[in-house]
Amino acid sequence: NFNQQTITELPIANRNFQAVAGLVAGVSPPGQSFTSSEDPQGTTFFNANGQGNSSNNTIVDGVDNTNPTLGLSIYLPNPEVVEEVHVSTSNYTAEFGRVGGALVNATTRGGTNNFHGSLWEFNRVAALAARDFFNVTGRPKPGYTRNEFGATFGGPIVKDKTFFFGAYQGRYLRQ
């Protein structure tokens, strides 16, 4: 189990909660198999217990979140929206019968009786990156700017009965 604090504070690959599966025993390091035009949401693929990535399943709030044709995830909430991620690699209950590799089960946050929210920004630019070993100092670094930003906000509508929670994430990628 990975709680919300762990997910938001770990430097996970591409800010994708699926990458925490790489911290579980029997799971190979995560990677991506599709280009950004084929998989704009950025599914993280991994092999668990010797099974291929098509044997894995991702569930968000109890709903199957895997495209049956390509094995891509359909919806990947940003880490600030995820409350908890549970990764199972064996001993599944009957409700997860079609999984042979790993099950990544994510639960999203909800509103509470208190108003709460967050703002964030992650910026990665070529000017602050280390120079490639093979790039001599006379040549410029290739341009790269990745800026991710967003906000969350939640609270009560009717105290102890009805709540709301919403989030926004934007991403600018220039390379």
Side-chain angles (χ1 to χ4, degrees):
N1 280 338
F2 299 93
N3 62 19
Q4 184 211 1
Q5 181 179 2
T6 303
I7 294 166
T8 56
E9 292 181 2
L10 276 175
I12 54 179
N14 296 326
R15 297 189 29 80
N16 181 344
F17 71 88
Q18 292 174 319
V20 298
L23 301 173
V24 177
V27 176
S28 66
Q32 289 184 311
S33 300
F34 290 88
T35 65
S36 60
S37 60
E38 295 169 319
D39 181 24
Q41 63 275 20
T43 303
T44 300
F45 293 103
F46 53 88
N47 298 338
N49 299 327
Q51 300 292 316
N53 61 15
S54 61
S55 298
N56 301 328
N57 192 16
T58 300
I59 295 174
V60 176
D61 289 333
V63 177
D64 188 16
N65 191 35
T66 305
N67 177 329
T69 307
L70 299 174
L72 303 172
S73 292
I74 299 166
Y75 168 65
L76 294 174
N78 62 52
E80 284 75 14
V81 174
V82 175
E83 179 69 30
E84 179 183 40
V85 175
H86 179 75
V87 181
S88 299
T89 57
S90 63
N91 296 333
Y92 315 108
T93 60
E95 64 185 311
F96 307 120
R98 70 176 206 85
V99 179
L103 172 72
V104 180
N105 192 355
T107 306
T108 58
R109 295 172 60 189
T112 63
N113 277 326
N114 299 317
F115 289 103
H116 62 280
S118 63
L119 297 170
W120 73 89
E121 180 177 13
F122 295 91
N123 191 6
R124 182 176 160 198
V125 293
L128 300 176
R131 186 171 299 280
D132 185 295
F133 178 77
F134 297 104
N135 189 356
V136 295
T137 55
R139 295 185 182 164
K141 295 183 234 177
Y144 185 85
T145 301
R146 181 179 176 152
N147 189 16
E148 294 187 36
F149 54 91
T152 64
F153 188 69
I157 295 174
V158 177
K159 188 172 175 136
D160 293 328
K161 294 188 181 207
T162 309
F163 310 98
F164 73 93
F165 184 81
Y168 171 77
Q169 178 173 339
R171 176 185 299 158
Y172 293 117
L173 179 61
R174 296 181 253 343
Q175 55 185 351

Coordinates of all heavy atoms in Angstrom, one line a residue, residues 14 31-45 53 69-73:
N14 N 7.4 10.3 -14.7 CA 6.4 11.0 -15.4 C 5.2 11.4 -14.5 O 4.1 11.5 -15.1 CB 5.9 10.3 -16.6 CG 7.1 10.1 -17.6 OD1 7.9 11.0 -17.8 ND2 7.1 9.0 -18.3
G31 N 8.6 1.2 -17.5 CA 9.0 1.9 -18.8 C 7.8 2.2 -19.6 O 6.7 1.8 -19.3
Q32 N 8.0 2.8 -20.7 CA 6.9 3.1 -21.6 C 7.2 2.5 -23.0 O 8.3 2.5 -23.5 CB 6.8 4.7 -21.8 CG 6.2 5.3 -20.6 CD 6.0 6.8 -20.8 OE1 6.8 7.5 -21.3 NE2 4.8 7.3 -20.4
S33 N 6.1 1.9 -23.6 CA 6.3 1.2 -24.8 C 5.6 1.9 -26.0 O 5.8 1.5 -27.2 CB 5.6 -0.2 -24.7 OG 6.2 -0.9 -23.7
F34 N 4.9 3.0 -25.8 CA 4.2 3.7 -26.9 C 4.7 5.1 -26.9 O 5.1 5.7 -26.0 CB 2.7 3.6 -26.6 CG 2.0 2.3 -26.8 CD1 2.0 1.4 -25.7 CD2 1.5 1.9 -28.0 CE1 1.4 0.2 -25.9 CE2 1.0 0.6 -28.2 CZ 0.9 -0.2 -27.1
T35 N 4.5 5.7 -28.1 CA 4.8 7.1 -28.2 C 3.7 8.0 -27.6 O 2.7 7.5 -27.3 CB 5.0 7.5 -29.7 OG1 3.7 7.4 -30.3 CG2 6.0 6.7 -30.4
S36 N 4.0 9.3 -27.4 CA 3.0 10.2 -26.8 C 1.8 10.4 -27.6 O 0.7 10.7 -27.1 CB 3.7 11.5 -26.4 OG 4.1 12.1 -27.6
S37 N 1.9 10.2 -28.9 CA 0.7 10.3 -29.8 C -0.2 9.1 -29.7 O -1.4 9.1 -29.9 CB 1.1 10.6 -31.2 OG 1.9 9.6 -31.7
E38 N 0.4 7.9 -29.5 CA -0.3 6.7 -29.3 C -0.9 6.5 -27.9 O -2.0 5.9 -27.8 CB 0.6 5.5 -29.6 CG 1.1 5.4 -31.0 CD 2.2 4.3 -31.1 OE1 3.1 4.2 -30.2 OE2 2.2 3.6 -32.1
D39 N -0.2 7.0 -26.9 CA -0.6 6.9 -25.5 C -0.5 8.3 -24.8 O 0.5 8.4 -24.1 CB 0.2 5.8 -24.9 CG -0.1 5.6 -23.4 OD1 -1.2 5.9 -23.0 OD2 0.8 5.1 -22.7
P40 N -1.4 9.2 -25.1 CA -1.2 10.6 -24.5 C -1.2 10.6 -23.0 O -0.7 11.5 -22.4 CB -2.3 11.4 -25.2 CG -3.3 10.4 -25.6 CD -2.6 9.1 -25.9
Q41 N -1.9 9.7 -22.4 CA -2.0 9.7 -20.9 C -0.7 9.2 -20.3 O -0.5 9.4 -19.1 CB -3.2 8.9 -20.4 CG -3.3 7.5 -20.8 CD -3.8 7.1 -22.2 OE1 -3.8 8.0 -23.0 NE2 -4.2 5.9 -22.4
G42 N 0.1 8.5 -21.0 CA 1.4 8.1 -20.5 C 1.4 6.8 -19.6 O 1.9 6.8 -18.5
T43 N 0.8 5.7 -20.1 CA 0.7 4.5 -19.3 C 2.1 4.0 -19.0 O 3.0 4.0 -19.8 CB 0.0 3.4 -20.1 OG1 -1.3 3.9 -20.5 CG2 -0.2 2.1 -19.3
T44 N 2.3 3.6 -17.7 CA 3.6 3.0 -17.3 C 3.5 1.5 -17.4 O 2.6 0.9 -16.8 CB 4.0 3.4 -15.9 OG1 4.1 4.8 -15.9 CG2 5.3 2.8 -15.4
F45 N 4.3 0.8 -18.2 CA 4.3 -0.6 -18.4 C 5.4 -1.3 -17.5 O 6.5 -0.7 -17.3 CB 4.5 -1.0 -19.8 CG 3.4 -0.6 -20.7 CD1 3.5 0.5 -21.5 CD2 2.2 -1.3 -20.7 CE1 2.4 0.9 -22.3 CE2 1.1 -0.9 -21.5 CZ 1.3 0.2 -22.3
N53 N 3.4 -7.3 -19.8 CA 2.6 -6.2 -19.3 C 1.1 -6.3 -19.6 O 0.3 -5.7 -19.0 CB 3.1 -4.8 -19.8 CG 3.1 -4.7 -21.3 OD1 2.5 -5.5 -22.0 ND2 3.9 -3.8 -21.8
T69 N -7.8 -3.7 -25.9 CA -7.1 -4.0 -27.1 C -5.6 -3.8 -27.0 O -4.8 -4.7 -27.4 CB -7.6 -3.0 -28.2 OG1 -9.0 -3.1 -28.3 CG2 -7.0 -3.3 -29.6
L70 N -5.1 -2.6 -26.5 CA -3.7 -2.3 -26.4 C -3.1 -2.5 -25.0 O -1.9 -2.5 -24.8 CB -3.5 -0.9 -26.9 CG -3.9 -0.6 -28.3 CD1 -3.7 0.9 -28.6 CD2 -3.0 -1.4 -29.3
G71 N -3.9 -2.6 -24.0 CA -3.4 -2.7 -22.6 C -3.1 -1.4 -22.0 O -2.4 -1.3 -21.0
L72 N -3.4 -0.3 -22.7 CA -3.2 1.1 -22.2 C -4.2 1.4 -21.1 O -5.3 1.0 -21.1 CB -3.3 2.1 -23.3 CG -2.4 1.9 -24.5 CD1 -2.7 2.9 -25.6 CD2 -0.9 2.0 -24.1
S73 N -3.7 2.3 -20.2 CA -4.7 2.8 -19.2 C -5.5 3.9 -19.8 O -5.0 4.7 -20.6 CB -3.9 3.4 -18.0 OG -3.3 2.3 -17.3

